[in-house]
């Protein structure tokens, strides 16, 4: 968000991918976990409004702190599901 504000552009997610790895020495040091600990890796590309790639991200998350929420309704609907 700060990057897009600084650049004066609006970024949109193009794609995101998730994978799992064991923490290497650098990951273990940075995240405060033992080497080999399970990590979730999130990667992706964000694009500008024309679809041009602007930002590549790769983040590692400690396995025990990962949580995902998937919302399949667009939010325009109200009330309980039928």
């Amino acid at each position: 968000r700060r990057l897009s504000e600084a650049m004066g552009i609006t970024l949109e997610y193009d794609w995101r991918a998730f994978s799992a790895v064991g923490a290497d020495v650098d990951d273990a040091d940075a995240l405060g976990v033992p080497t080999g600990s399970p990590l979730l890796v999130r990667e992706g590309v964000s694009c500008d409004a024309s679809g041009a790639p602007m930002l590549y991200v790769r983040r590692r998350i400690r396995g025990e702190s990962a949580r995902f929420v998937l919302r399949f309704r667009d939010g325009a609907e109200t009330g309980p599901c039928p």
Side-chain angles (χ1 to χ4, degrees):
R1 182 172 169 188
R2 290 181 188 171
L3 179 62
S4 64
E5 289 173 0
M7 295 172 59
I9 59 172
T10 300
L11 296 177
E12 301 172 0
Y13 289 162
D14 185 42
W15 62 268
R16 291 294 184 265
F18 297 87
S19 60
V21 298
D24 62 21
V25 174
D26 291 331
D27 292 334
D29 185 49
L31 296 172
V33 298
T35 302
S37 294
L39 301 178
L40 180 71
V41 179
R42 183 178 72 108
E43 304 179 81
V45 169
S46 294
C47 296
D48 66 11
S50 74
M54 300 297 290
L55 178 67
Y56 172 77
V57 297
R58 183 174 188 162
R59 296 185 176 148
R60 289 175 168 80
I61 304 164
R62 293 168 55 149
E64 72 272 7
S65 63
R67 178 175 183 260
F68 297 94
V69 176
L70 303 175
R71 299 188 192 281
F72 295 99
R73 299 186 328 150
D74 67 8
E77 303 166 28
T78 59
C81 293

